[in-house]
Amino acid sequence: MTLRWYSTVIESTDHRVLARWWAEALGWEVMFESDDEAVLVPPWARELGSTLAFDQVPPGLVFVLVEHEKQGKNRLHLDFAPHTSQDRAAELDRLLALGAVRVDVGQGPDVSWDVLADPDGNEFCVLSSRDS
């Protein structure tokens, strides 16, 4: 038996705003929202979800309300990669225009990725472009 990666949970003091930011950044949809949490799924999840086997359904992002601010560097972060047909620099500019900021987590000057943080300070990486 194997487990299905169901979701990644991100804490926030304003979970609705952060969920909407990530929905815009990823082109995902807000599937559910309450006073305590907001859930994002990729747009194809609703369309294809019922046709996929349990272990093939893509994971979602869940944003939960907490009272405390983020402290310190993430011990887990998300990596994203644009397709080789996309303009990686333009994608970085788009994320920065949405409110992401560049951060230094000790990555060094010669890496092939950029480290950014969302409006709550959660670090994520934009990798080099990929074919698959």
Side-chain angles (χ1 to χ4, degrees):
M1 179 174 99
T2 61
L3 295 174
R4 172 182 155 202
W5 177 12
Y6 193 80
S7 63
T8 299
V9 178
I10 300 171
E11 297 180 343
S12 176
T13 57
D14 197 343
H15 66 292
R16 287 184 172 109
V17 168
L18 192 60
R20 286 187 208 113
W21 187 89
W22 276 102
E24 179 71 20
L26 296 174
W28 284 22
E29 301 172 354
V30 177
M31 182 176 156
F32 174 80
E33 188 175 71
S34 73
D35 289 342
D36 298 319
E37 69 179 348
V39 178
L40 301 184
V41 296
W44 62 89
R46 288 186 203 235
E47 177 185 334
L48 298 176
S50 63
T51 67
L52 299 173
F54 177 78
D55 60 333
Q56 294 175 323
V57 176
L61 288 175
V62 179
F63 298 83
V64 296
L65 179 64
V66 295
E67 295 181 9
H68 60 277
E69 297 288 334
K70 178 183 179 287
Q71 299 175 15
K73 179 180 173 284
N74 293 2
R75 296 205 50 195
L76 172 76
H77 70 266
L78 304 174
D79 284 346
F80 300 98
H83 189 267
T84 53
S85 65
Q86 294 175 287
D87 182 342
R88 182 177 179 279
E91 184 59 21
L92 285 166
D93 289 343
R94 184 183 75 85
L95 292 167
L96 293 167
L98 285 174
V101 295
R102 293 182 184 276
V103 293
D104 182 353
V105 293
Q107 65 267 27
D110 296 327
V111 297
S112 62
W113 63 87
D114 287 88
V115 182
L116 304 178
D118 69 17
D120 265 15
N122 300 300
E123 299 94 3
F124 64 97
C125 293
V126 178
L127 306 176
S128 58
S129 298
R130 311 290 165 107
D131 280 327
S132 58

